[in-house]
Each structure stands twice: as C-alpha cells, then as structure tokens.
Amino acid sequence: MAPPYDEEGNVCPALIGGYPFSVLEASDGTARRYSRLMMGIRRETIERELNTHGVSLPELIARSDLDQWGSEPVRIGISGGRDSMGLALLAWANNQRVIGIHVDHGLRTQSHLEGARIADALSPYGIGIVEYRVALQAGGNLEDRARQVRLAKLGDAATAHTMDDQAETVLANLLRGAGLVGVGGMQPGRRHPILGLRRKELHLLCDAARIWSFDDPSNVDPRFVRNRVRSELLPLAGGIVQRDVVPILARTALRSQEYQEAIEELLSVGSWRLTELPPVLARHRLNEAISKSLGLRLDSAHLEHIREVMVGQRAAHQIVGAITVRRLDNALVFDDSSGNRLLRLPV
C-alpha cells in the first residue's frame, strides 16, 4: 500500500476511512481543510482525556526522540498492540507523517486479518500500513527466529520499545550471561524513540483515542523468556526492594552504553590486533564483529571459548546453527555444517 500522502505531502482523502471525502472534494481545497479540522478535533479530545489521568500529551512528545526523524516520514513497526499503536498516535500528534509496517508471522489462525484491522483503526489519522506475510516453521528457538525475520522486514523502522522493555532487556541479558557492555540493551534514538516513556503511558494514549488494539497472546506465553521476566521477575524484584525497579534498570542500560562508548574510543587509538588485547576487550571486539557479520548474539561463555580458540587454548568451538570456529593461520574462520566459509576474522 502506498503512503497516504500526495506529492505535496497532504493526506490523500481516498485512503482515509470513515469520511466521505470524495463528496467534499472541490477546487478550493474543502476536503483538505475538513481533514485538518477533524485531525485537530481528535487531538484536542485525546489531550483532554489524558489530562484527566495526569498525563500531558506535549510532555510525552518532548520525552521522545521522534524529532530525530526530522521531515522524513516516520516508519513504525506496528503489531497492533497498544505499544505500537500508541507510538503511531504519538508521531501523528507530533504532526509527523507516519507509515506503519506490519509483519504477519502466520503463527495464529486469524493473524492474516490483523493487518486490515490495524489499517482500519489508523486510517482516520492518515496513517497507511504496509504488510509483510512470512511463514515460520514450528520448532526450537521460535522466539528468536520470529524476531530475526521481523527485524529484517522492519529495516530501520522505529519500534515501540519503552522503558519497561529496556528494563526487561537488561534482566534478560544478565540471565544469558552478558557482561558489563552486553547488558546495555537498546540505544535511544530514531530506532527506539520512546525508551524514555513507560508502557502504561502508551496504553493511556490508546485509551484516550479509543482506538482498536490487539492483545497478542504470545506476549503472555511462558515459553518465552521475556514474558516470564516481565510477569514474574520484574514484579519479584520490585517487591523485594519495595520500589519501581524499571527506571533503575534503564539507568543501568545507559551506564553500560557509556562504558561501551568509552571502550570503543579507547580501541580506536592505534591498531590493536585481537591477540594483543586483554581478554575482556578481545571478547568485546569478537562480539562486535560476530554480531555485525553474522547477526548472532552470543553469551559470554561462547565468546570466551572463541577467544581460547584464537589464542590456541582450544582447537575449535561450535556455536549456534552448527557453526564451527577454528583458527587458520592468522585468522579465525567460521564454517557452517557443510563447510561453507561464513566469516574470516583476522586476529
């Protein structure tokens, strides 16, 4: 579906549901003015409703990084849940053009209907939807495989991850053995513009707009680690310390990111071979290279075993996907189970 804007950047009436714009079309721009009037009324209604809950719409916008998109249309990954629908509404309220991207993994029998429901719900705000349908086979590591496919389709689109998601990410990273840098979570900015907002604030925004949203049953599926972190571990941690731990964990993510930036600056001074670096910095560099080249997220144990291969303390090591890591002359080589060379990393 094409973005709902004409060549001058105005909302295309034909793509806005619920209002007979074709009847109102006139050479004097009647439909366009009517569209803007209705948008203004919607915003005022939403602001009033939010104010009754002590929430300010302009303050939510100010705490976001949506302005980093500039004049470019804001592309947003939209699942139909209240987080992503709320982000779309927030960008709309910030007077930005919005294009939603929806990925249907085909994991539920009625999932093919959700894209149309999302489009119908957002069309009164001039927001168009692009939908991708993919097929995932049942099997192990379903959560990560679905995530990888979704990220590939979303590209550089903004995601609706909030401060609550950041806190969950920090804990999940700790559980998989991440180190000081690996625990850092998501970087705020264009890709993650609402890490400064709470999930409940996005839900209040959706409630104020009375917009349709979808509760994905996979979000409460205990097979997924993140869901148990959200429903069990975070409440337990908050109960133990008798306070909201989400802002604390979000600050931990920021401190970790600061350490990462400092390490990168340090490593940029001079030409360091991997074998010349202290173990902690070597693991950092290995993690960076493997993540960038292969798209894999390895825990600290895997990274240490790969470092041991690099320095000759281990002959080989196998990581996810039956990928074998060996040292060959002055490089680490990563081969798949068929012997295909996936990566050669000079050391």
Side-chain angles (χ1 to χ4, degrees):
M1 181 182 294
Y5 301 95
D6 62 22
E7 294 180 352
E8 298 178 356
N10 300 297
V11 174
C12 293
L15 293 179
I16 297 186
Y19 297 94
F21 286 100
S22 58
V23 177
L24 298 170
E25 285 290 1
S27 60
D28 61 357
T30 302
R32 199 168 296 157
R33 289 198 296 273
Y34 182 76
S35 170
R36 289 171 182 160
L37 173 63
M38 293 305 299
M39 297 294 186
I41 292 173
R42 283 195 184 92
R43 180 184 170 119
E44 290 175 5
T45 301
I46 291 171
E47 284 199 66
R48 284 198 302 270
E49 181 65 24
L50 283 175
N51 288 340
T52 65
H53 296 279
V55 177
S56 163
L57 182 57
E59 194 258 342
L60 292 181
I61 294 170
R63 282 164 45 207
S64 79
D65 290 312
L66 282 167
D67 285 344
Q68 290 194 19
W69 282 84
S71 60
E72 185 180 351
V74 183
R75 298 178 297 281
I76 298 174
I78 299 182
S79 66
R82 286 194 288 178
D83 294 3
S84 57
M85 298 292 274
L87 174 56
L89 288 173
L90 195 68
W92 164 81
N94 197 33
N95 299 312
Q96 293 174 287
R97 307 182 193 181
V98 183
I99 301 172
I101 302 173
H102 176 67
V103 181
D104 174 17
H105 298 101
L107 298 178
R108 296 181 302 277
T109 55
Q110 298 296 313
S111 65
H112 64 285
L113 303 175
E114 291 161 14
R117 292 292 304 274
I118 294 169
D120 288 344
L122 292 175
S123 65
Y125 301 90
I127 299 173
I129 298 295
V130 176
E131 183 180 37
Y132 294 98
R133 292 184 178 177
V134 298
L136 283 177
Q137 300 299 320
N141 210 15
L142 182 62
E143 180 183 22
D144 195 57
R145 287 191 289 120
R147 177 181 178 276
Q148 294 300 327
V149 170
R150 183 169 63 254
L151 290 178
K153 295 298 183 184
L154 292 179
D156 66 346
T159 69
H161 292 116
T162 64
M163 186 184 297
D164 300 82
D165 293 291
Q166 184 76 302
E168 293 162 11
T169 300
V170 170
L171 286 179
N173 286 346
L174 284 170
L175 292 175
R176 68 179 180 85
L180 181 61
V181 170
V183 79
M186 298 167 280
Q187 292 275 359
R190 279 172 53 111
R191 187 83 169 88
H192 304 293
I194 54 172
L195 290 180
L197 275 62
R198 299 299 298 270
R199 183 179 291 135
K200 61 186 177 184
E201 293 174 320
L202 273 296
H203 293 185
L204 283 172
L205 177 56
C206 288
D207 293 343
R210 290 175 170 77
I211 195 168
W212 173 88
S213 62
F214 171 72
D215 291 326
D216 186 345
S218 68
N219 288 333
V220 294
D221 190 333
R223 291 178 300 170
F224 300 143
V225 171
R226 179 177 289 272
N227 292 342
R228 298 197 66 181
V229 169
R230 178 187 306 128
S231 63
E232 300 176 41
L233 190 53
L234 270 174
L236 177 62
I240 290 172
V241 299
Q242 293 297 299
R243 60 189 298 190
D244 184 1
V245 297
V246 167
I248 300 172
L249 291 166
R251 285 195 296 272
T252 299
L254 288 175
R255 298 293 84 79
S256 173
Q257 291 162 14
E258 289 173 353
Y259 276 111
Q260 180 168 358
E261 291 170 4
I263 290 172
E264 291 298 331
E265 185 175 348
L266 174 65
L267 292 176
S268 68
V269 180
S271 300
W272 298 92
R273 295 177 57 188
L274 278 171
T275 51
E276 297 173 335
L277 294 172
V280 63
L281 296 183
R283 288 193 297 270
H284 175 78
R285 268 293 169 86
L286 286 168
N287 185 50
E288 183 183 58
I290 294 168
S291 175
K292 182 178 181 181
S293 301
L294 301 179
L296 299 176
R297 298 179 300 166
L298 302 181
D299 61 28
S300 57
H302 275 304
L303 292 171
E304 174 58 18
H305 292 331
I306 294 172
R307 190 194 70 82
E308 291 169 355
V309 172
M310 178 182 72
V311 298
Q313 296 176 355
R314 183 183 290 260
H317 179 63
Q318 189 172 90
I319 58 176
V320 294
I323 297 173
T324 300
V325 186
R326 295 178 295 110
R327 176 156 180 174
L328 185 63
D329 298 326
N330 292 321
L332 284 173
V333 293
F334 295 69
D335 298 334
D336 66 16
S337 57
S338 300
N340 299 310
R341 183 66 40 85
L342 303 178
L343 174 64
R344 181 182 183 277
L345 191 61
V347 297

